[in-house]
Each structure stands twice: as C-alpha cells, then as structure tokens.
Amino acid sequence: MPIINEFAYVKPATVAQALKWLARYKKPAILAGGTDLLNSLKDGSIKPDAVIDIKGLDTLHKISFAGKRLYVGALVTFSELIEAEAVRRLFPVLAETARTIGSPGIRNRATMVGNICSAVPCLDSGPLLLAYDAVVTTVGRGGKREIPIVKWFRGPKKTSLKSGEIVSGVIIPLPEGKHAGCFIKLGRYAGEDLAQASVLAMALEGNRFRVAFGSVAPVPFRAKGIEKLLNGKQLDARLFAEAKKLVAAAIAPITDLRATKEYRAHMCRVMLERSLKAALGRLAGGGPAYGERLL
Amino acid sequence: MADYKFIGQPVLRVDGEAKISGAAQFVDDLEFGPNLLYAAIVESTRAHARIDGIDTAKAAAVPGVVKIVSGRDFPFKFGLYMHDRFVFAQDRVRFVGEQVAAVIAREPAAALRAAGLVKVRYSDLPLVLNTEDALRSGAPLIHPGLGEYEHVPWFFPRAGTNIAHFRKIRKGDVDKGFAEADLVFAETYTVPRYAHCAIEPHGAIGLFDHAGRLTVWTASQSPFTQRHLFSEALAPLGLSHHNVRVITPFVGGGFGGKAGVSMEILAAALATSVKGCPVKILWSRAQEFYNTYQRQGVKATVKLGVKKDGTITALEETLHWDAGAYVEYGANVVNAAGLSATGPYRIANVKIDSVCVYTNLPPGGPYRGFGYSEFIFGLESHMNEAAKKLGIDAVAFRRKNAIRPGDTLAYGAAMNPSGLVECIDRVAAEIEWDKKSKSVDPDKAIGKGFALFWKAPAMPPNAASTVFLKFNEDGSLNILASAMEIGQGYQTVMAQIAAEILTVPPAKIRVETPDTDRNPYEWQTVASHITWGCGKAVERAAIDAREQIFDLIVRALGKEREALYLEAEQVKSRREPGWALPLKDFVIAGIVQPDGTYRGGPIVGRGMFMPEFASASSDPETGQGGHPNVHYTVGASGAIIEIDKQTGKIKVLKAVLAVDVGKALNPDLLKGQVTGGFLQGLATVLYEDMRFDDKGRLLNANFSDYKIPTAMDIPQEVVPIFIETPQPDGPFGARGMGEHTMIPAAPIIANAVEDALGVRITSMPISAEKIIEALSGNRQ
Amino acid sequence: MNQRIEFVLNSEKRSVEPRANQTLLEMLRDTLGVKSPKCGCDRGDCGSCTVMIDGRAVRSCLVLAVEVDGHEVKTLEGLMPGGKFSALQKSFLAHNSFQCGFCTPGVIVAVSELLEKNPHPDRNEIKEALSGNLCRCTGYTPIIEAVVAHAGREE
C-alpha cells in the first residue's frame, strides 16, 4: 500500500528550526521512530502537509541520569532504553516494560515519547510512567513546559500537547529508598500483541506501594484506592483478596475484538496479585527475574 | 526393505541456496519494465446489495489513470467446480470486499487514489450472515439463479434455496444402529472461519500482447487450473487455451489459499483491456484476509450410538457449512468432508448430511485439511465423550473402533493398506498415556489429549500429473513438472525419486517452477497428492528414460539388455564387470559407431499418472457406488498440556503425531510438515479466528488482531513418528501427508482441556478467555 | 516532492532521489531493484521487510526512504561476505530452516543483528529476537535449531 497523500519532508537541525517549521505548516506531523506514523500515513488517517523529522535534533537523543532523575530524550528508542546502563541498574522495570513492546525490529525504531504521544488506551509506557510520577517536558515558541504524567493523558489519543509544541523528553524520578517494580501485560499469546490489560506494581521500602493499570480505561491510571489500602501494611492473603475486590471499581474495561470486559477484569485481579508479589520478591532481592513471563 | 541411496535419506533441499540467499524470485520480484501498469480494485462496502450505478467521472480525472472497468466490461462467470462467480460483480454484490470495478493507472498511488473516488450506488438487500438464517424457509436468496449454474455432476445444488450442494452418505441402517446401542448421545460443535495467512500476499501480472496472447504471472498452487479457468472465462473474447500462458515463480506459502483462482482472474481480465501493457495487481494484507478464500465455518451435530463394550453402532452427522457468497471451490470442501466425516473408524451404520450453504460472507474455499480439520474437532471431541460416558479408556476405545485395511468405507469402497493401530500404540507410548500427570503448582492443571485423523486427497477422479525429464550434456538433469514448490520441498523429493532410478544425485537435478507453455500438465498442487501423484509421474519418467538408455545401449553396442543396470551415473552390465559407460558420454550426443555415424540422441523421459480406478459417480441419495477417494493417509496424535487455572492460558508441553506415510521419502522434510502444520493447527484452536460484525464486515483483517503464532508461541516439544505401510500405487510406496499434521490439533487440545479441568468446550477457538468463562460457569 | 539523499547500501555509496512519501522498502525494491526484503503486510507486523540501518534491524516498510540519508543500510545481500554464503546461511541450509522462503531474508537479517550483539544467545533470546518475524511454514523450530547450532550451543 503506497502512501497516497503527498507531503513535504523536512529535517530540522535545531529545535528552533523545528519550531519554526512546525508553525509554518498547516498540518505538520512529527516523525521520530515512525512506527505509528507510517501506518497512519498509509491508511490515510492523517494527511499532513509536512512531515518534520526530528531525528536531527541531537539534544533530544539523550538518555542520562543525574540528580536522581532519569532523563529520556524524545529520540531514545526502546532498544536504547533496554541497553542503557542506568536503566539496567536503577530502573530494571523500565527495561522489563520496554521488552514487551512490539519486537526488536520495532523497538529499534520506536521511542517512548512517541508511545506516549500516541496516547492510545493500550499504550504500554503509561502505567510505568504513572507509577514513577514521571514528568513530560515540552518545548514550544512560548517556552518550555513540564507536565506531570498524570495530567498528560486526556483521553484516547488525546494529550496535553499544544499545537506548535514538541515533546523533548520524559523525566523519571528515582523514588526515595529502595524500590522494585513488575510490569505484566496481557496478550492473546506470548508473541507481540497489543495489551488487553496491563498492570505495573511497584513496591517501595517501608511497605509503600504504587499500582497503575493500562488498557482498562480510556487512559492509563494510578489505582489510588488500592494503593491506600496496601500502604503501610504487610501483604498477606487477606489483603490480596481485599485489594482484588477494589479492582472492579478502579477499572472501566470494555468488550472489544481483543477481549471481553469480564476477562479483562478477571485478569486485572490475577495480574495485580502476581505483579505485587513479584515486586515484593524483587525488593527483597529475590522474586522472578526481570523479563520472566508471569502469565 | 530395499537399500536406497537417495530415498529416505537426508538430502539438501534443491531450492535451498536460492531461498537462503534471497535469490528465489516471487511474483512481486519479477520486473516488467517501464510500461507496467498497476490496478486498484473498487470493493463492495455492502454485504448484500443491488448495484444501482457506478460513477467514475472523478476517478477518471486523476492524473495517470489509464482505464476504469467494471462488471459490464466483463460479464463472464468462472469457477472450478461450480460457475457461480463473476469476474466483477454484475447486478448485485454478495459480500463486503467483492470486486465491483478496477482502476488501472501508471502508478500504484494514482490507481489507489482514483479507486477511492469511484462512487458506487447501492440498494441494500436483506443480509444472511449465518447458516441458520440461510436455511430458514423464506430466507433471502443469495443466488436466485442457482438452478441454472453449471457445475460438476457430483454436486447437488437445490434451486430456490441457499443450498449450493448437499452431500448425502447413507450406509447400513442408522435407526437400527441406534436401537442396538446402549448409549446414544448428541452434541453440536462449532468452528469459525480461519485465514491461511501465507506471508506472501496474492499477486498477479497479466499481459495481453498485440499478437493476442495472454500471459499471466501468478503466485499460484494451480497454474494449469488457472490457465483453464482463464481460458474458459475469457473465451468470449476469443481466447483459447493455446494462447493463454501461466507462469508461476516461487510461491511464498499457499496452504490452499493459492489453489484454484481467486484474485488472479482480475489480472487476466484487466490485461485484455490494456493491450500491450503488463498490468500488476497485488493484494494488500487486508485484502488477503477478506477477498481470498477463507476456511469455511461449520456447525456440526454429531450423534453417536455405542454399546457398553465400546463398539460404535451408528453415527449420524449433520454438517452445515458457512460457505460464503460463492462456492465455486468451497463446495468441494463440503463434498470431501461429507464423504469422510466418519473419521478413521469402522462404523456399520452411517448417515451424513454435509450441506454447503451460501451466506453473505467472503467466499469459503480450500485450506490445508480441506474440511477434515473442521469436522474432526467435533467428531474427536465426541469420541472422547463417548469413551468417558462408557467408562472406557479413550485410547482403548479408539483402538477398538479404528478402521483397518479392507474395511468398508462409508461410501462403499474398501479401505487402503494403512497402519492406524500402530500409530495409536506409538503415540500412546510416547505421551505415556497410561500415566496420569499432576502439576506440583496448585494453580496449574496438566491434561492429556488424544485424537485420530485421516484425510484423502480431494480431487476429481481424472486429476493427472505429467512430467518430462531431460538430460543435459554433463549428465545432469532437468525435471519439468507443473507441481508447485510452495515450501513443502516437493522439488527435492522429485529429484530424489529421479535420482534413485537414474543414479544421478539430487544436487545435479534441477526442478524448475512451472510455465504452462513449457512444462507438462499438472492438475493442482493441493490435496497432499503431489508426492504420490506427481512423484509417480517422475518415477515413470525416470524409468522411461532408463529404458531408452538401455534400448540405446543394446542397439548401439549390442549388450545384453537384461544384464544392464545403472550405478553412480554410469551404465553397467552384470555380464561384464569391467565395463561402464558414463551417462554424460551419450545422453545428449548419442553413441558413435565404427563408421562415424551416431545412434541415439538427447534422452527425454516422459511420465504420466492418473488414478484410473477413481470415480465420482454414485447414488446421490446414498453416496454409494463410486470410488471418489483414491486412498487415505491415517494417523494418531496426542498432547500433554498445562493450563494455568487463574488465567486460562495453555502451554503445550509435548505434542506427538504419528502418520502412516507409506514410505518416508525424505524424513527431514516430513518432520518440517509436522512442526509447521501442527503449529498452524494449534493456532486455530488457541487464538485465531475471523470476526465479523452484523453488517458482514471483517473486523480483524490484519496481523494485529488476527494473531498467527510467533517464535515465542511454539510447543515445548513436537515429536513426529512415521509409520510405513506401503501405498501400492505410490512412488516407493509413499503417500502424502502435508495437510494431515494440521488436522488433529484442535481435538487433542479440546480433549486435553477436558482431561485437565473436566470442562468440555464445544466451540473453537479454545481461548484462555473461554476457559476462564467455562471454569467460572462450573463454579456457579 | 523528491529529495536527493546519499547513503551506503550494502557497502556501496548510493545517491537517489526518492519521493518524500516513498518508503525505504519501496525504494529498495522498486527504485534500486534489491528484492530480498519482501512486503508481507506493509504495516510492521510480519518482519519480511527487515533490513539493517546502522546495524539495527528495522522494518523497511515503516521507514521513509528519505530518512536513510547519511546512514548505512544493509539487506541480506550485504550480509554475504564476498558474495558467499555466511556461516549462518549455511546453518539455515543444513537445518531446513525455511520452507517457502518468503520470510527467510528478513529472518536472517533479524538473527544477524542478534548474533552481532550476543554471539551465544540461549533459546529464549533467539525466540525473542525472532518474535517479530512471522513464518507460517516451519513452525520456527528449525530456525531456532539453526541459530543454536550456529552459536555453538548444542544442548
């Protein structure tokens, strides 16, 4: 299927130039990894007058850890994330999440920022960034903005990005004290699939917990009610049972081609328990290895 | 057992170097130069509607558009077994995606853009989306003209209904059989539609040159059938078989989806409208799903009568096939399944109704297994239930009732030599059937499943294979045949057969892809009949060449004929141990005489095979009297699975398939058929299926939502077992098994799930979701 | 809207003028006549079009041709030293790791990237590396066997 629509292709060398072009065209599209964009161009769901390839903006192709914050630039691919030393050492659940996305050939191109810009309900980076209280950084002609991830997702395929802005990167703060996480993604099989539901559980020192869900509501979200129930407590069978009871109220799954809402809800309960147990195990220095399949 | 040099031996594939280097050419890899045009198809957006008008004005104005055509340009019908389909829709459309018009342009993008601008006006007609609705009295008729359609004599359409074909089998007396039974029970099993998902999409290029010759390059399993159907359909344009040529390079997977004719008719027809310019048409992945053949859905009601000792007394089966809008090929799936729906069992009293039903869904057609994968799910699930209800071991039950050579088949002919009981015993031993396994994890359950399978080639009684075999100057060989290398390794096996007879090693034998002008006739590469039928033709061609060689040696050198034999590419004589004449010295040049003249010349062998004993003539009311199937390949299979009771997810720990292949000509390639075919079957039971909405639109026409297995989804272990009960008329005793490895996957999983959880799931796929649903239902 | 680009294709410097809306796959196949990358789905699901850009395996159907300006592209042809079969290809041949052969070029490119990064992968790593390359014929086992054997890790 050739791309029918015609457009200009520009590749700015600086952010300023990128913003200028972004303002000049009526319907510009930003190209980073292109794994989503190319399909939209082919199926005609977007018809830009210009494609602005930001891969020339070297300042956005950075992954760095400083001041207890991991900075992931807009051009950092999932493969680069998985391979990054800081990620492996300090944020292994980030690599675990990244490894569930597409396949190596997609991860070599696709970026985490691109993933959150797509803002589809099943995006995989959502629960992770929510659990870390990440911050999205943008640049526009009006200056830079920092948007807490919780305010970033505004609905299916809707974000807080304003026209004329580019996402420059994501800041992921390292939690105080020791922490461990576990991401579980429900697919129809072991191979690459879009999430039918996903859970990210994080266990922190002092029996504190963070839980986020994906694919079971219009946007990914933190399950504050469940966190409140768990925080400060030792997790035991009774508490797991109570936490699972809160799942139904927390999520709003739908029935579609990929799964029924009943199965999604059922699996959210199973995945909540498994991810919490794995996170706790990992916090204690044991538990399943990162990347091990828990479904 | 004979001592073979090449048969049964590991041999490097003769197409291997081309395939690992990217040198192998597929249809879209061929170059046609700057005059090439591209076609895009305007497709029906309605499942059932009258076409009121087609407005092409806007489309015609798109720069680069060369021609726009529609049904009125090609009022021609085509079909393999039943002429029920037009090249383009005429007055009405019958499924979403049906071709209504086509735009031919200089560039693919221009063709696509213009196709999007063609406006078709429709008046909706009432929809029929399932067999229940289609069979209801007063149902809207999808083919009001059914009574006038041409079809093969062994089809029985019912004019004035949506029944395109009704295959009846009546053997013995089922009422009496059920009366004799201690237990009679029935259940209905449903199987949805499936897609082949060959990774290479369909594609075709047609060229109608100024001399009036039509050449079509296709990705096809059936070049000669395509030539025949193109010639037949386009005969009104003055075309005849000798000026139609079909060339097929390597095919990137077929699985039945590239058998017969589907979109290729468009390339043939469109070429005639742009004389002198090649025109290319490639299916997108989405079109691949909604406008090629789909595996038909079936609703099967199985009623079984059994005695306390396990003897089956009667079987009654009603199979309602959702055959889609056109059944030109798919009706034969229904026919084949009807003939064989007893499965590999000896049953005295049988009643089968296999009914081919039109619906407003995409056309059904051939898919690896050809109806058997579909009915075996219900039948083998039911057999397990019968054993369970009787308190008899499921394997012992099958062993007791398994068909034996010489038994009378449901349509009256005798069962061919085969080792089903040996297959059963070997599988049972391999999966340690008598040992119950238990998981140490309380959240997991282990189950074992067992199922038998069989399949006969489904083909017209006169399906034939022909082969030419040419020697080259250096004693190497070219085999000209028109079977297709679709991945199964047929070229290698043909080389092995010729090698065994002529002693020329397979590495020195080239088997090229077909060109109907240059290669002799082959019916189609379907039905798992190529090893057997085309292999027999190769064997005969090689013997023919060998006999020519011996004749020549006698004539030119005066040797004693009976003493001659071939060894290591030389002619030798048992009478003269020191004498040897290399083939390369004379197979082209001939043998020089003392006076300087030559005897002989290029050796060309010819071989043909047609099963002259086969016949499709039988009593339409009982199916008795003919010999529609040439033979069956039988087998047994088992699996050990682990189910996560919390998630419903199934892991296949071990799968075992035993097949009686007659003779394993190339065990490595057979193993390839087992690992590949079983995974394809496994996916149909675990997660694949086609989903339609209430307007007849396919919802998952892509790999994002029609999931085919990846490397991460394979069973932990697959064990192939080959039994060798020779097929008397097969080359070296071989019979085919390409489709068979897919057939039993569904029931062995269904039976293993039942074993593990005590839950009988009667509809495919058996997804994780369905297991959780069934388990929670049980708890309530 | 064409744009001149320069890039290295299989060790040879090339200069082309692709349309802005042309994919890398289309440019390789239709403009440059390099046919080993295949179009199986055209939306990044099947992996048949896998090529390497700067040593990374990517889907050439999801890359615009203009994006490779200044980069190095390798197709299966570029992974054959001196035009000869690589040891990996020979292992594929010996293990019948293909049937129809349509997915094979993409599979070999994907595996080559894995082996570049990790010369002795285990079975799970091999499966993960292959997870984006669909093969409908082989059932994958013979492909995995070829890679295991090649990596010298017979179990």
Side-chain angles (χ1 to χ4, degrees), chain A residues 82-98:
Chain A
I82 294 167
E83 292 161 12
E85 193 274 333
V87 170
R88 284 170 175 259
R89 188 162 47 87
L90 299 167
F91 300 88
V93 71
L94 208 166
E96 178 173 72
T97 304

Side-chain angles (χ1 to χ4, degrees), chain B residues 207-223:
Chain B
L207 171 62
F208 189 52
D209 68 22
H210 288 288
R213 151 132 265 229
L214 176 67
T215 306
V216 190
W217 292 261
T218 63
S220 172
Q221 299 175 236
S222 321

Side-chain angles (χ1 to χ4, degrees), chain B residues 245-278:
Chain B
R245 177 182 184 189
V246 175
I247 299 174
T248 50
F250 279 119
V251 170
F255 315 111
K258 290 169 184 158
V261 168
S262 58
M263 56 79 78
E264 301 83 5
I265 191 78
L266 296 169
L270 293 177
T272 65
S273 69
V274 285
K275 215 171 183 178
C277 299

Side-chain angles (χ1 to χ4, degrees), chain B residues 188 291 471 499 666:
Chain B
T188 298
N291 193 5
F471 271 102
N666 185 323

Side-chain angles (χ1 to χ4, degrees), chain A residues 95-277:
Chain A
E96 178 173 72
T97 304
R99 278 179 64 193
T100 70
I101 293 164
S103 55
I106 295 289
R107 300 199 284 267
N108 280 342
R109 210 69 191 161
T111 64
M112 181 187 264
V113 164
N115 194 225
I116 62 166
C117 286
S118 80
V120 291
C122 66
L123 94 161
D124 295 309
S125 317
L128 172 101
L129 295 176
L130 282 157
Y132 274 105
D133 291 322
V135 174
V136 182
T137 63
T138 67
V139 283
R141 303 193 99 183
K144 295 182 177 177
R145 288 202 297 150
E146 293 202 347
I147 305 157
I149 191 77
V150 70
K151 294 198 170 150
W152 173 256
F153 299 110
R154 303 182 54 140
K157 299 189 184 180
K158 277 203 193 106
T159 69
S160 296
L161 190 71
K162 290 182 187 158
S163 91
E165 276 185 330
I166 294 174
V167 179
S168 49
V170 178
I171 295 165
I172 304 174
L174 186 69
E176 285 297 320
K178 274 185 12 179
H179 83 287
C182 175
F183 180 67
I184 306 183
K185 169 172 163 178
L186 175 65
R188 284 159 286 195
Y189 63 6
E192 86 173 89
D193 198 2
L194 301 168
Q196 278 96 72
S198 64
V199 180
L200 194 133
M202 193 188 285
L204 300 104
E205 256 179 7
N207 287 330
R208 286 173 299 127
F209 299 92
R210 296 179 190 175
V211 174
F213 287 96
S215 274
V216 283
V219 295
F221 63 94
R222 280 278 283 276
K224 294 280 188 186
I226 295 174
E227 292 179 6
K228 207 173 135 195
L229 170 77
L230 302 177
N231 276 338
K233 295 184 193 128
Q234 287 283 352
L235 298 198
D236 57 15
R238 227 193 57 212
L239 202 54
F240 276 124
E242 271 182 59
K244 283 155 88 173
K245 275 188 203 146
L246 297 183
V247 167
I251 64 175
I254 57 164
T255 292
D256 64 10
L257 192 58
R258 293 172 193 149
T260 60
K261 59 181 184 210
E262 290 81 11
Y263 187 62
R264 285 188 159 107
H266 169 82
M267 286 304 292
C268 279
R269 290 189 282 271
V270 173
M271 289 155 63
L272 175 68
E273 179 166 352
R274 289 188 186 184
S275 59
L276 279 168
K277 280 183 176 163

Side-chain angles (χ1 to χ4, degrees), chain B residues 40-373:
Chain B
I41 304 301
V42 179
E43 297 161 334
S44 169
T45 53
R46 313 298 175 91
H48 200 195
R50 209 175 53 230
I51 299 175
D52 293 331
I54 302 174
D55 178 2
T56 60
K58 265 195 180 160
V62 172
V65 168
V66 173
K67 188 115 186 173
I68 302 177
V69 299
S70 67
R72 101 189 82 132
D73 302 287
F74 298 102
F76 312 135
K77 267 194 195 141
F78 72 98
L80 186 56
Y81 296 102
M82 161 98 92
H83 287 198
D84 65 353
R85 189 169 183 184
F86 285 91
V87 179
F88 287 94
Q90 297 291 305
D91 55 332
R92 61 160 85 185
V93 289
R94 296 181 173 88
F95 71 94
V96 175
E98 181 168 5
Q99 53 265 26
V100 173
V103 177
I104 303 171
R106 284 278 153 209
E107 296 291 338
L112 270 175
R113 190 180 308 131
L117 294 172
V118 172
K119 288 269 168 293
V120 184
R121 282 179 291 114
Y122 297 105
S123 298
D124 283 324
L125 295 167
L127 290 185
V128 179
L129 296 178
N130 57 61
T131 54
E132 288 93 327
D133 289 350
L135 293 172
R136 210 160 271 150
S137 75
L141 290 186
I142 296 171
H143 287 268
L146 177 60
E148 276 80 58
Y149 291 175
E150 278 177 49
H151 57 81
V152 290
W154 70 89
F155 276 10
F156 308 106
R158 295 194 173 167
T161 75
N162 287 315
I163 295 174
H165 172 44
F166 200 118
R167 165 54 63 193
K168 284 186 187 176
I169 294 292
R170 302 288 184 270
K171 176 191 175 195
D173 180 344
V174 275
D175 293 334
K176 192 171 133 266
F178 285 127
E180 289 167 0
D182 296 311
L183 170 70
V184 176
F185 73 111
E187 182 60 78
T188 298
Y189 302 87
T190 56
V191 178
R193 288 175 164 239
Y194 291 98
H196 305 79
C197 300
I199 308 299
E200 179 204 28
H202 284 66
I205 299 95
L207 171 62
F208 189 52
D209 68 22
H210 288 288
R213 151 132 265 229
L214 176 67
T215 306
V216 190
W217 292 261
T218 63
S220 172
Q221 299 175 236
S222 321
F224 272 92
T225 290
Q226 293 198 330
R227 186 185 69 157
H228 180 54
L229 296 196
F230 296 159
S231 309
E232 232 181 28
L234 302 176
L237 300 177
L239 283 166
S240 75
H241 286 73
H242 84 287
N243 49 30
V244 177
R245 177 182 184 189
V246 175
I247 299 174
T248 50
F250 279 119
V251 170
F255 315 111
K258 290 169 184 158
V261 168
S262 58
M263 56 79 78
E264 301 83 5
I265 191 78
L266 296 169
L270 293 177
T272 65
S273 69
V274 285
K275 215 171 183 178
C277 299
V279 55
K280 184 175 201 169
I281 170 160
L282 282 179
W283 250 202
S284 69
R285 181 49 59 182
Q287 286 171 308
E288 201 59 25
F289 277 100
Y290 62 71
N291 193 5
T292 58
Y293 296 121
Q294 299 178 356
R295 192 173 114 177
Q296 300 169 144
V298 70
K299 198 171 131 187
T301 302
V302 186
K303 183 177 168 189
L304 196 69
V306 278
K307 284 190 173 168
K308 277 187 188 137
D309 69 356
T311 311
I312 299 173
T313 58
L315 171 71
E316 184 176 336
E317 249 181 303
T318 309
L319 303 164
H320 286 170
W321 299 84
D322 158 20
Y326 301 100
V327 306
E328 47 95 8
Y329 202 140
N332 204 42
V333 176
V334 176
N335 193 68
L339 292 168
S340 302
T342 56
Y345 292 97
R346 41 161 46 142
I347 305 176
N349 306 296
V350 177
K351 178 185 176 191
I352 295 166
D353 287 337
S354 188
V355 188
C356 181
V357 184
Y358 281 120
T359 62
N360 290 119
L361 292 178
Y367 185 148
R368 194 177 200 169
F370 211 73
Y372 291 69
S373 305

